[in-house]
Amino acid sequence: MGYLLRTNHWTEHYNLSLEVFELAAKCALTNGDHTRVRLLYQEVVREAHSFEDKLDIEYTNIRALYSASCLEEALTKLLYVLNKLGVTLSGDLNTLLSETKSSLAEYSDEQLLSLPAMVDRTKIITMKILSLAQLCLFHTNPKSQPKATLQLVQFSLQHGMSDLTSVGFVWFGSYLACIGEITAGYRYVKI
């Protein structure tokens, strides 16, 4: 990719360079070229000025690891990124479930559907990473997977709804049904 860009493109056109490298990484991922994704990722990590500037490429790299069936490595990276974003998937599952149910009890279906949209770019990427965490945990540590789901639902209630909020509610509803709360589970699946 370097032959297409000036040698000092990171200095002269920093934002454009970030965008071009992220789009190139997405294209490489689409083509199944995990090696190219890794190379593009490494350059952005080396040149980026801040953690926030790395978030898009971090997410793309984690998706590449997941699609290459490097689930443990993907999980390690996404837990690291979530931790840097202030989101942890630790804690007692029953406590998290109780907190989530308590928070949701304050809302009717209509109120949930009318919550404001999530607009903060960092929060939206956090949701994407939480959603990917659900999948990684489903395959690597299924007993911990509900923690990602509960965090995704709680994060949506705190920061607004995103496209991935619906995924969180479906997983949450399915989890409730699995533990015998079928009526409550159905409520959240249909939202």
Side-chain angles (χ1 to χ4, degrees):
M1 176 148 202
Y3 62 88
L4 296 174
L5 301 171
R6 293 178 174 189
T7 55
N8 55 352
H9 64 91
W10 284 106
T11 305
E12 291 181 4
H13 304 286
Y14 177 75
N15 290 331
L16 181 60
S17 295
L18 280 175
E19 186 175 353
V20 167
F21 273 72
E22 173 55 27
L23 291 172
K26 286 179 181 178
C27 289
L29 177 59
T30 301
N31 291 327
D33 189 348
H34 301 113
T35 302
R36 181 157 317 272
V37 172
R38 187 179 68 249
L39 292 171
L40 293 163
Y41 166 78
Q42 289 170 344
E43 183 161 348
V44 172
V45 167
R46 185 175 55 250
E47 299 292 341
H49 296 164
S50 69
F51 175 71
E52 286 75 21
D53 289 349
K54 299 175 194 175
L55 282 175
D56 285 326
I57 198 80
E58 288 282 3
Y59 175 68
T60 301
N61 185 53
I62 294 167
R63 284 181 48 216
L65 291 168
Y66 177 80
S67 71
S69 297
C70 299
L71 300 178
E72 291 295 333
E73 188 178 352
L75 185 59
T76 299
K77 284 197 177 287
L78 70 82
L79 290 174
Y80 169 77
V81 172
L82 285 172
N83 189 50
K84 296 266 297 181
L85 290 165
V87 177
T88 61
L89 299 181
S90 60
D92 178 61
L93 178 59
N94 290 326
T95 303
L96 286 170
L97 178 60
S98 178
E99 290 170 356
T100 303
K101 288 165 70 174
S102 176
S103 295
L104 285 167
E106 300 173 15
Y107 297 95
S108 67
D109 291 358
E110 294 77 27
Q111 289 172 317
L112 283 172
L113 292 170
S114 65
L115 285 172
M118 188 179 295
V119 293
D120 182 277
R121 181 184 155 280
T122 302
K123 304 291 186 214
I124 292 169
I125 291 180
T126 303
M127 287 289 287
K128 289 179 179 181
I129 295 170
L130 276 169
S131 183
L132 193 51
Q134 292 180 122
L135 295 174
C136 281
L137 286 167
F138 181 78
H139 294 291
T140 59
N141 187 355
K143 290 184 179 182
S144 292
Q145 184 271 331
K147 291 180 181 181
T149 300
L150 297 171
Q151 286 289 5
L152 200 145
V153 170
Q154 288 182 11
F155 199 80
S156 295
L157 294 175
Q158 293 167 0
H159 303 289
M161 299 295 172
S162 80
D163 295 342
L164 293 168
T165 299
S166 59
V167 174
F169 276 116
V170 168
W171 280 87
F172 178 60
S174 298
Y175 177 67
L176 289 176
C178 286
I179 61 172
E181 298 181 28
I182 295 171
T183 303
Y186 177 71
R187 174 188 176 207
Y188 295 113
V189 167
K190 71 177 185 165
I191 286 179

Coordinates of all heavy atoms in Angstrom, one line a residue, residues 98-189:
S98 N -29.3 -9.3 37.8 CA -30.2 -8.6 38.7 C -30.2 -7.1 38.4 O -31.2 -6.4 38.3 CB -29.8 -8.9 40.1 OG -30.7 -8.2 41.0
E99 N -29.0 -6.5 38.2 CA -28.8 -5.1 37.9 C -29.5 -4.8 36.5 O -30.2 -3.7 36.4 CB -27.3 -4.7 37.8 CG -26.6 -4.7 39.2 CD -25.1 -4.6 39.0 OE1 -24.6 -4.6 37.9 OE2 -24.5 -4.5 40.1
T100 N -29.3 -5.6 35.5 CA -29.9 -5.4 34.2 C -31.4 -5.4 34.3 O -32.1 -4.5 33.8 CB -29.4 -6.4 33.2 OG1 -27.9 -6.3 33.2 CG2 -29.9 -6.1 31.8
K101 N -31.9 -6.4 35.0 CA -33.4 -6.5 35.1 C -34.0 -5.4 35.8 O -35.0 -4.8 35.5 CB -33.8 -7.9 35.7 CG -33.5 -9.1 34.8 CD -33.5 -10.4 35.5 CE -34.9 -10.8 36.0 NZ -34.8 -12.2 36.6
S102 N -33.3 -4.9 36.9 CA -33.7 -3.8 37.7 C -33.7 -2.5 36.8 O -34.7 -1.7 36.9 CB -32.8 -3.6 38.9 OG -33.1 -2.5 39.6
S103 N -32.7 -2.3 36.0 CA -32.6 -1.1 35.1 C -33.7 -1.2 34.1 O -34.4 -0.2 33.8 CB -31.3 -1.1 34.4 OG -30.2 -0.8 35.3
L104 N -34.0 -2.3 33.5 CA -35.0 -2.5 32.5 C -36.4 -2.3 33.1 O -37.3 -1.9 32.3 CB -34.9 -3.8 31.8 CG -33.7 -3.9 30.8 CD1 -33.5 -5.3 30.4 CD2 -34.0 -3.0 29.6
A105 N -36.6 -2.7 34.3 CA -37.9 -2.6 35.0 C -38.5 -1.1 35.0 O -39.7 -0.9 35.1 CB -37.9 -3.1 36.4
E106 N -37.6 -0.2 34.9 CA -38.0 1.2 34.9 C -38.6 1.7 33.5 O -39.1 2.8 33.5 CB -36.7 2.1 35.2 CG -36.1 1.8 36.5 CD -34.8 2.6 36.7 OE1 -34.5 3.5 36.0 OE2 -34.1 2.2 37.7
Y107 N -38.5 0.9 32.5 CA -38.9 1.3 31.2 C -40.1 0.4 30.7 O -40.1 -0.8 30.8 CB -37.8 1.1 30.2 CG -36.6 2.0 30.4 CD1 -35.5 1.5 31.2 CD2 -36.5 3.3 30.0 CE1 -34.4 2.3 31.4 CE2 -35.4 4.1 30.2 CZ -34.4 3.6 30.9 OH -33.3 4.4 31.2
S108 N -41.0 1.1 30.0 CA -42.0 0.3 29.3 C -41.4 0.0 27.9 O -40.4 0.6 27.5 CB -43.3 1.2 29.1 OG -43.0 2.3 28.2
D109 N -42.1 -0.8 27.1 CA -41.6 -1.1 25.8 C -41.5 0.2 24.9 O -40.5 0.4 24.2 CB -42.5 -2.1 25.0 CG -42.5 -3.5 25.6 OD1 -41.7 -3.7 26.6 OD2 -43.2 -4.4 25.2
E110 N -42.5 1.0 25.1 CA -42.5 2.3 24.3 C -41.3 3.2 24.7 O -40.7 3.8 23.9 CB -43.8 3.0 24.5 CG -45.0 2.3 23.9 CD -45.5 1.2 24.7 OE1 -45.3 1.2 26.0 OE2 -46.1 0.2 24.2
Q111 N -41.1 3.2 26.0 CA -40.0 4.1 26.5 C -38.6 3.5 26.0 O -37.7 4.3 25.6 CB -40.0 4.1 28.0 CG -41.1 5.0 28.6 CD -41.2 4.8 30.1 OE1 -41.0 3.7 30.7 NE2 -41.4 6.0 30.8
L112 N -38.5 2.2 26.0 CA -37.2 1.6 25.5 C -37.0 2.0 24.0 O -36.0 2.3 23.6 CB -37.2 0.1 25.6 CG -37.0 -0.4 27.0 CD1 -37.2 -2.0 27.1 CD2 -35.5 -0.1 27.5
L113 N -38.1 1.9 23.2 CA -38.0 2.1 21.8 C -37.8 3.6 21.5 O -37.4 3.9 20.4 CB -39.3 1.6 21.1 CG -39.5 0.1 21.1 CD1 -40.9 -0.3 20.6 CD2 -38.4 -0.5 20.2
S114 N -38.1 4.5 22.4 CA -38.0 5.9 22.2 C -36.7 6.5 22.8 O -36.5 7.7 22.9 CB -39.2 6.7 22.6 OG -39.4 6.6 24.0
L115 N -35.9 5.6 23.4 CA -34.6 6.1 23.9 C -33.8 6.8 22.8 O -33.9 6.4 21.7 CB -33.8 5.0 24.6 CG -34.3 4.5 26.0 CD1 -33.6 3.3 26.4 CD2 -34.2 5.6 27.0
P116 N -33.0 7.8 23.2 CA -32.2 8.5 22.1 C -31.2 7.6 21.5 O -30.8 6.6 22.0 CB -31.5 9.6 22.9 CG -31.5 9.2 24.3 CD -32.7 8.3 24.5
A117 N -30.8 7.9 20.3 CA -29.8 7.2 19.5 C -28.5 7.4 20.1 O -28.1 8.5 20.5 CB -29.9 7.6 18.0
M118 N -27.6 6.4 20.0 CA -26.2 6.6 20.4 C -25.5 7.3 19.2 O -25.6 6.9 18.1 CB -25.6 5.2 20.6 CG -24.2 5.2 21.2 SD -23.6 3.5 21.4 CE -24.8 2.9 22.7
V119 N -24.8 8.4 19.5 CA -24.2 9.1 18.5 C -22.6 9.2 18.7 O -21.9 9.5 17.7 CB -24.7 10.6 18.4 CG1 -26.2 10.5 17.9 CG2 -24.7 11.3 19.7
D120 N -22.2 9.0 19.9 CA -20.7 9.1 20.1 C -20.0 7.9 19.4 O -20.3 6.7 19.6 CB -20.5 9.0 21.6 CG -19.0 9.1 22.0 OD1 -18.3 8.1 22.0 OD2 -18.6 10.3 22.4
R121 N -19.0 8.2 18.6 CA -18.3 7.3 17.8 C -17.6 6.2 18.7 O -17.7 5.0 18.4 CB -17.3 8.0 17.0 CG -16.4 7.1 16.1 CD -15.4 8.0 15.3 NE -14.3 7.2 14.9 CZ -13.3 6.8 15.7 NH1 -13.2 7.1 17.0 NH2 -12.3 6.0 15.3
T122 N -17.0 6.6 19.8 CA -16.4 5.7 20.7 C -17.4 4.7 21.3 O -17.1 3.5 21.4 CB -15.5 6.4 21.7 OG1 -14.6 7.3 21.1 CG2 -14.8 5.5 22.7
K123 N -18.5 5.2 21.7 CA -19.5 4.4 22.3 C -20.1 3.3 21.2 O -20.3 2.2 21.6 CB -20.7 5.2 22.8 CG -20.3 6.3 23.8 CD -19.9 5.7 25.1 CE -19.6 6.8 26.1 NZ -18.5 6.5 27.0
I124 N -20.2 3.8 20.0 CA -20.7 2.9 18.9 C -19.7 1.8 18.7 O -20.1 0.6 18.6 CB -21.0 3.7 17.7 CG1 -22.2 4.6 17.9 CG2 -21.3 2.7 16.5 CD1 -22.5 5.6 16.8
I125 N -18.4 2.1 18.7 CA -17.4 1.1 18.5 C -17.4 0.1 19.7 O -17.2 -1.1 19.6 CB -16.0 1.7 18.2 CG1 -16.0 2.3 16.8 CG2 -14.9 0.6 18.3 CD1 -14.8 3.0 16.4
T126 N -17.6 0.7 20.9 CA -17.7 -0.2 22.1 C -18.8 -1.2 21.9 O -18.7 -2.4 22.2 CB -17.9 0.7 23.3 OG1 -16.9 1.7 23.4 CG2 -18.0 -0.2 24.6
M127 N -20.0 -0.7 21.4 CA -21.1 -1.7 21.1 C -20.7 -2.7 20.1 O -21.0 -3.9 20.3 CB -22.3 -0.9 20.6 CG -23.0 0.0 21.6 SD -23.9 -1.0 22.9 CE -25.3 -1.5 21.9
K128 N -20.0 -2.4 19.1 CA -19.5 -3.3 18.1 C -18.6 -4.4 18.7 O -18.7 -5.6 18.5 CB -18.8 -2.7 16.9 CG -19.7 -1.8 16.0 CD -18.8 -1.2 15.0 CE -19.7 -0.4 14.0 NZ -18.9 0.3 12.9
I129 N -17.7 -3.9 19.6 CA -16.8 -4.9 20.2 C -17.5 -5.7 21.2 O -17.3 -6.9 21.3 CB -15.6 -4.1 20.9 CG1 -14.8 -3.4 19.7 CG2 -14.7 -5.0 21.7 CD1 -13.8 -2.4 20.2
L130 N -18.5 -5.2 22.0 CA -19.3 -6.0 22.9 C -20.1 -7.1 22.1 O -20.2 -8.2 22.6 CB -20.3 -5.1 23.7 CG -19.7 -4.5 24.9 CD1 -20.7 -3.4 25.5 CD2 -19.4 -5.5 26.0
S131 N -20.6 -6.7 21.0 CA -21.4 -7.6 20.2 C -20.5 -8.8 19.7 O -20.8 -9.9 19.7 CB -22.0 -6.9 19.0 OG -22.8 -7.8 18.2
L132 N -19.3 -8.4 19.3 CA -18.3 -9.4 18.8 C -17.8 -10.3 20.0 O -17.6 -11.5 19.9 CB -17.1 -8.7 18.2 CG -16.1 -9.6 17.4 CD1 -16.8 -10.5 16.4 CD2 -15.1 -8.8 16.7
A133 N -17.8 -9.7 21.2 CA -17.5 -10.4 22.4 C -18.5 -11.5 22.7 O -18.2 -12.6 23.1 CB -17.4 -9.5 23.6
Q134 N -19.8 -11.2 22.4 CA -20.8 -12.2 22.6 C -20.5 -13.4 21.8 O -20.6 -14.6 22.2 CB -22.2 -11.7 22.2 CG -22.7 -10.6 23.1 CD -24.1 -10.1 22.6 OE1 -25.0 -10.2 23.4 NE2 -24.2 -9.6 21.4
L135 N -20.1 -13.2 20.5 CA -19.8 -14.3 19.6 C -18.6 -15.1 20.0 O -18.6 -16.3 20.1 CB -19.7 -13.8 18.2 CG -20.9 -13.2 17.5 CD1 -20.6 -12.6 16.2 CD2 -22.0 -14.3 17.4
C136 N -17.5 -14.4 20.4 CA -16.3 -15.1 20.8 C -16.5 -15.9 22.0 O -16.1 -17.0 22.1 CB -15.2 -14.0 21.0 SG -14.4 -13.4 19.6
L137 N -17.2 -15.3 23.0 CA -17.5 -16.0 24.2 C -18.4 -17.2 24.0 O -18.3 -18.3 24.7 CB -18.1 -15.1 25.3 CG -17.0 -14.1 25.9 CD1 -17.7 -13.0 26.7 CD2 -16.0 -14.9 26.8
F138 N -19.4 -17.1 23.1 CA -20.3 -18.2 22.8 C -19.5 -19.4 22.3 O -19.9 -20.5 22.7 CB -21.3 -17.7 21.7 CG -22.3 -18.8 21.3 CD1 -23.4 -19.0 22.1 CD2 -22.1 -19.5 20.2 CE1 -24.3 -20.0 21.8 CE2 -23.0 -20.5 19.8 CZ -24.1 -20.7 20.6
H139 N -18.4 -19.2 21.6 CA -17.6 -20.3 21.1 C -16.5 -20.7 22.1 O -16.1 -21.9 22.0 CB -17.0 -19.9 19.8 CG -18.0 -19.7 18.7 ND1 -18.7 -20.8 18.2 CD2 -18.4 -18.6 18.0 CE1 -19.5 -20.3 17.2 NE2 -19.3 -19.0 17.1
T140 N -16.0 -19.8 22.9 CA -14.8 -20.2 23.7 C -15.2 -20.4 25.2 O -14.5 -21.2 25.9 CB -13.8 -19.0 23.7 OG1 -14.3 -17.8 24.1 CG2 -13.2 -18.9 22.3
N141 N -16.2 -19.7 25.7 CA -16.5 -19.8 27.1 C -18.0 -19.4 27.2 O -18.4 -18.4 27.7 CB -15.7 -18.8 27.9 CG -15.9 -19.0 29.4 OD1 -16.7 -19.8 29.9 ND2 -15.1 -18.3 30.2
P142 N -18.9 -20.4 26.8 CA -20.3 -20.1 26.7 C -21.0 -19.6 28.1 O -21.9 -18.9 28.1 CB -21.0 -21.4 26.3 CG -19.9 -22.2 25.7 CD -18.6 -21.7 26.3
K143 N -20.4 -20.1 29.2 CA -21.0 -19.7 30.5 C -20.7 -18.2 30.8 O -21.5 -17.6 31.5 CB -20.4 -20.5 31.6 CG -20.9 -21.9 31.5 CD -20.4 -22.7 32.7 CE -20.9 -24.2 32.6 NZ -20.5 -25.0 33.7
S144 N -19.7 -17.6 30.1 CA -19.4 -16.1 30.3 C -20.1 -15.3 29.3 O -20.2 -14.1 29.4 CB -17.9 -15.9 30.3 OG -17.3 -16.5 31.4
Q145 N -20.6 -15.9 28.2 CA -21.3 -15.1 27.1 C -22.4 -14.2 27.6 O -22.4 -13.0 27.2 CB -21.8 -16.1 26.0 CG -22.3 -15.4 24.8 CD -23.8 -15.1 24.9 OE1 -24.5 -15.8 25.6 NE2 -24.3 -14.1 24.3
P146 N -23.2 -14.6 28.5 CA -24.3 -13.7 29.0 C -23.8 -12.4 29.6 O -24.4 -11.4 29.6 CB -25.1 -14.5 30.0 CG -24.9 -15.9 29.6 CD -23.4 -16.0 29.1
K147 N -22.5 -12.4 30.1 CA -22.0 -11.2 30.7 C -21.8 -10.1 29.6 O -22.1 -8.9 29.9 CB -20.6 -11.5 31.4 CG -20.7 -12.3 32.6 CD -19.4 -12.5 33.2 CE -19.5 -13.4 34.5 NZ -18.1 -13.6 35.1
A148 N -21.4 -10.5 28.4 CA -21.3 -9.6 27.3 C -22.6 -9.0 26.9 O -22.8 -7.9 26.6 CB -20.5 -10.2 26.1
T149 N -23.6 -9.9 26.9 CA -25.0 -9.5 26.6 C -25.5 -8.5 27.6 O -26.1 -7.5 27.2 CB -25.9 -10.8 26.5 OG1 -25.4 -11.7 25.5 CG2 -27.3 -10.4 26.2
L150 N -25.3 -8.8 28.8 CA -25.8 -7.9 29.9 C -25.1 -6.6 29.8 O -25.8 -5.5 30.0 CB -25.7 -8.6 31.2 CG -26.5 -9.9 31.4 CD1 -26.1 -10.6 32.7 CD2 -28.0 -9.6 31.4
Q151 N -23.8 -6.6 29.6 CA -23.1 -5.3 29.4 C -23.6 -4.5 28.2 O -23.8 -3.3 28.3 CB -21.6 -5.6 29.3 CG -21.0 -6.0 30.6 CD -20.8 -4.8 31.6 OE1 -21.3 -3.7 31.4 NE2 -20.2 -5.1 32.7
L152 N -23.9 -5.2 27.1 CA -24.4 -4.6 25.9 C -25.7 -3.9 26.2 O -26.0 -2.7 25.8 CB -24.5 -5.6 24.8 CG -24.6 -5.0 23.4 CD1 -23.9 -6.0 22.4 CD2 -26.0 -4.8 22.9
V153 N -26.6 -4.6 26.9 CA -27.9 -4.0 27.2 C -27.8 -2.8 28.2 O -28.3 -1.7 28.0 CB -28.9 -5.1 27.8 CG1 -30.2 -4.4 28.4 CG2 -29.2 -6.1 26.8
Q154 N -27.0 -3.0 29.2 CA -26.7 -1.9 30.2 C -26.1 -0.7 29.5 O -26.4 0.5 29.7 CB -25.9 -2.4 31.3 CG -26.6 -3.3 32.3 CD -25.7 -3.7 33.4 OE1 -24.6 -3.2 33.7 NE2 -26.2 -4.7 34.2
F155 N -25.1 -1.0 28.6 CA -24.4 0.1 27.9 C -25.4 0.9 27.0 O -25.4 2.1 26.9 CB -23.3 -0.5 27.0 CG -22.3 0.5 26.6 CD1 -21.3 0.9 27.5 CD2 -22.3 1.1 25.3 CE1 -20.3 1.8 27.1 CE2 -21.3 2.0 24.9 CZ -20.3 2.3 25.8
S156 N -26.4 0.2 26.4 CA -27.4 0.9 25.6 C -28.3 1.7 26.4 O -28.7 2.9 26.0 CB -28.3 -0.2 24.8 OG -27.5 -0.9 23.9
L157 N -28.7 1.3 27.6 CA -29.5 2.0 28.5 C -28.8 3.3 29.0 O -29.4 4.4 29.1 CB -30.0 1.2 29.7 CG -30.9 0.0 29.4 CD1 -31.2 -0.8 30.6 CD2 -32.2 0.5 28.8
Q158 N -27.5 3.2 29.2 CA -26.7 4.3 29.7 C -26.4 5.4 28.6 O -26.3 6.5 28.8 CB -25.4 3.9 30.3 CG -25.6 3.1 31.6 CD -24.4 2.3 32.0 OE1 -23.3 2.4 31.4 NE2 -24.5 1.6 33.1
H159 N -26.1 4.9 27.4 CA -25.6 5.7 26.3 C -26.4 5.9 25.1 O -26.0 6.6 24.1 CB -24.2 5.2 25.9 CG -23.2 5.2 27.1 ND1 -22.7 6.3 27.7 CD2 -22.7 4.1 27.8 CE1 -21.9 5.9 28.7 NE2 -21.9 4.6 28.8
G160 N -27.6 5.3 25.0 CA -28.4 5.4 23.9 C -28.5 4.1 23.0 O -27.6 3.2 23.2
M161 N -29.4 4.1 22.2 CA -29.6 2.9 21.3 C -28.8 3.0 20.1 O -28.6 4.0 19.5 CB -31.1 2.8 20.9 CG -32.0 2.6 22.1 SD -31.7 1.1 23.0 CE -32.7 1.2 24.4
S162 N -28.3 1.8 19.6 CA -27.6 1.7 18.4 C -28.2 0.6 17.6 O -29.0 -0.1 18.1 CB -26.1 1.5 18.6 OG -25.8 0.1 18.9
D163 N -27.6 0.4 16.4 CA -28.1 -0.8 15.6 C -27.9 -2.1 16.3 O -28.6 -3.0 16.1 CB -27.3 -0.8 14.2 CG -27.6 0.4 13.4 OD1 -28.6 1.1 13.6 OD2 -26.9 0.7 12.4
L164 N -26.9 -2.2 17.1 CA -26.6 -3.4 17.8 C -27.3 -3.6 19.1 O -27.3 -4.7 19.7 CB -25.1 -3.5 18.1 CG -24.2 -3.6 16.8 CD1 -22.8 -3.4 17.1 CD2 -24.4 -4.9 16.2
T165 N -28.1 -2.6 19.5 CA -28.9 -2.8 20.7 C -29.9 -3.9 20.5 O -30.1 -4.7 21.4 CB -29.6 -1.5 21.1 OG1 -28.7 -0.5 21.3 CG2 -30.5 -1.6 22.3
S166 N -30.5 -4.0 19.3 CA -31.5 -5.0 19.0 C -30.8 -6.4 19.2 O -31.5 -7.4 19.7 CB -32.1 -4.9 17.7 OG -31.1 -4.9 16.7
V167 N -29.6 -6.6 18.8 CA -28.9 -7.9 18.9 C -28.8 -8.2 20.4 O -29.0 -9.3 20.8 CB -27.5 -7.8 18.2 CG1 -26.7 -9.1 18.5 CG2 -27.6 -7.6 16.7
G168 N -28.4 -7.2 21.2 CA -28.3 -7.4 22.6 C -29.6 -7.8 23.3 O -29.6 -8.7 24.1
F169 N -30.7 -7.2 22.8 CA -32.0 -7.6 23.4 C -32.4 -9.0 23.0 O -33.0 -9.7 23.7 CB -33.1 -6.6 23.0 CG -33.1 -5.4 23.9 CD1 -32.8 -4.1 23.4 CD2 -33.5 -5.5 25.2 CE1 -32.8 -3.0 24.3 CE2 -33.5 -4.4 26.1 CZ -33.2 -3.1 25.6
V170 N -32.1 -9.4 21.7 CA -32.4 -10.7 21.3 C -31.6 -11.8 22.1 O -32.2 -12.7 22.6 CB -32.2 -10.9 19.8 CG1 -32.2 -12.4 19.4 CG2 -33.2 -10.1 19.0
W171 N -30.3 -11.5 22.3 CA -29.5 -12.4 23.1 C -30.0 -12.4 24.5 O -30.1 -13.5 25.2 CB -28.0 -12.0 23.1 CG -27.3 -12.5 21.8 CD1 -27.2 -11.8 20.7 CD2 -26.5 -13.7 21.7 NE1 -26.4 -12.5 19.8 CE2 -26.0 -13.7 20.4 CE3 -26.2 -14.7 22.5 CZ2 -25.2 -14.7 19.9 CZ3 -25.4 -15.8 22.0 CH2 -24.9 -15.7 20.7
F172 N -30.4 -11.3 25.1 CA -30.9 -11.2 26.4 C -32.2 -11.9 26.6 O -32.3 -12.7 27.5 CB -31.1 -9.7 26.8 CG -31.6 -9.5 28.2 CD1 -30.9 -9.9 29.3 CD2 -32.8 -8.8 28.4 CE1 -31.4 -9.7 30.6 CE2 -33.3 -8.6 29.7 CZ -32.6 -9.0 30.8
G173 N -33.1 -11.7 25.7 CA -34.4 -12.4 25.7 C -34.2 -14.0 25.6 O -34.8 -14.7 26.3
S174 N -33.3 -14.4 24.8 CA -33.0 -15.8 24.6 C -32.4 -16.4 25.9 O -32.7 -17.5 26.3 CB -32.0 -16.0 23.5 OG -32.5 -15.6 22.3
Y175 N -31.5 -15.6 26.5 CA -30.9 -16.0 27.8 C -32.0 -16.2 28.9 O -32.0 -17.1 29.6 CB -29.8 -15.0 28.3 CG -29.2 -15.4 29.6 CD1 -28.5 -16.6 29.8 CD2 -29.4 -14.6 30.7 CE1 -27.9 -16.9 31.0 CE2 -28.9 -15.0 32.0 CZ -28.2 -16.1 32.1 OH -27.7 -16.5 33.3
L176 N -32.9 -15.2 29.0 CA -34.0 -15.2 30.0 C -34.8 -16.5 29.7 O -35.2 -17.2 30.7 CB -34.8 -14.0 29.9 CG -34.2 -12.7 30.4 CD1 -35.1 -11.5 30.2 CD2 -33.8 -12.8 31.9
A177 N -35.1 -16.8 28.5 CA -35.9 -18.0 28.2 C -35.2 -19.2 28.6 O -35.8 -20.2 29.1 CB -36.3 -18.0 26.7
C178 N -33.9 -19.3 28.4 CA -33.1 -20.4 28.8 C -33.1 -20.7 30.3 O -33.0 -21.8 30.7 CB -31.6 -20.3 28.3 SG -31.5 -20.5 26.5
I179 N -33.2 -19.6 31.0 CA -33.2 -19.8 32.5 C -34.7 -19.9 33.0 O -34.9 -19.8 34.2 CB -32.4 -18.7 33.2 CG1 -33.0 -17.3 33.0 CG2 -30.9 -18.8 32.8 CD1 -32.3 -16.2 33.8
G180 N -35.6 -20.0 32.1 CA -37.0 -20.3 32.5 C -37.9 -19.1 32.5 O -39.1 -19.2 32.8
E181 N -37.4 -17.9 32.2 CA -38.2 -16.7 32.2 C -38.7 -16.4 30.8 O -38.3 -15.4 30.2 CB -37.4 -15.5 32.8 CG -37.0 -15.7 34.2 CD -36.2 -14.6 34.8 OE1 -36.4 -13.4 34.4 OE2 -35.4 -14.8 35.7
I182 N -39.6 -17.3 30.3 CA -40.0 -17.2 28.9 C -40.8 -16.0 28.6 O -40.5 -15.3 27.6 CB -40.8 -18.5 28.6 CG1 -39.8 -19.7 28.7 CG2 -41.4 -18.4 27.2 CD1 -40.5 -21.0 28.6
T183 N -41.7 -15.6 29.4 CA -42.5 -14.4 29.1 C -41.6 -13.1 29.1 O -41.7 -12.3 28.1 CB -43.6 -14.2 30.2 OG1 -44.4 -15.4 30.3 CG2 -44.5 -13.0 29.9
A184 N -40.7 -13.0 30.0 CA -39.8 -11.8 30.0 C -38.9 -11.9 28.8 O -38.6 -10.9 28.1 CB -39.0 -11.7 31.3
G185 N -38.4 -13.1 28.5 CA -37.5 -13.3 27.3 C -38.2 -12.9 26.1 O -37.7 -12.2 25.2
Y186 N -39.5 -13.3 25.9 CA -40.3 -12.9 24.7 C -40.4 -11.4 24.6 O -40.3 -10.9 23.5 CB -41.6 -13.6 24.8 CG -42.5 -13.3 23.6 CD1 -42.2 -13.7 22.3 CD2 -43.6 -12.4 23.8 CE1 -43.0 -13.4 21.2 CE2 -44.4 -12.1 22.7 CZ -44.1 -12.6 21.4 OH -44.9 -12.2 20.4
R187 N -40.6 -10.8 25.7 CA -40.8 -9.3 25.7 C -39.5 -8.6 25.0 O -39.7 -7.8 24.2 CB -40.9 -8.7 27.1 CG -41.0 -7.2 27.1 CD -40.9 -6.6 28.5 NE -40.9 -5.2 28.4 CZ -40.3 -4.4 29.3 NH1 -39.8 -4.9 30.5 NH2 -40.3 -3.1 29.2
Y188 N -38.4 -9.1 25.4 CA -37.1 -8.4 24.9 C -36.8 -8.9 23.5 O -36.2 -8.1 22.8 CB -36.0 -8.6 25.9 CG -36.3 -7.9 27.2 CD1 -36.5 -8.6 28.4 CD2 -36.4 -6.5 27.3 CE1 -36.8 -8.0 29.6 CE2 -36.7 -5.9 28.5 CZ -36.9 -6.6 29.6 OH -37.3 -6.0 30.8
V189 N -37.1 -10.1 23.2 CA -36.8 -10.5 21.8 C -37.7 -9.7 20.8 O -37.2 -9.4 19.7 CB -37.1 -12.0 21.7 CG1 -37.1 -12.5 20.2 CG2 -36.0 -12.8 22.4

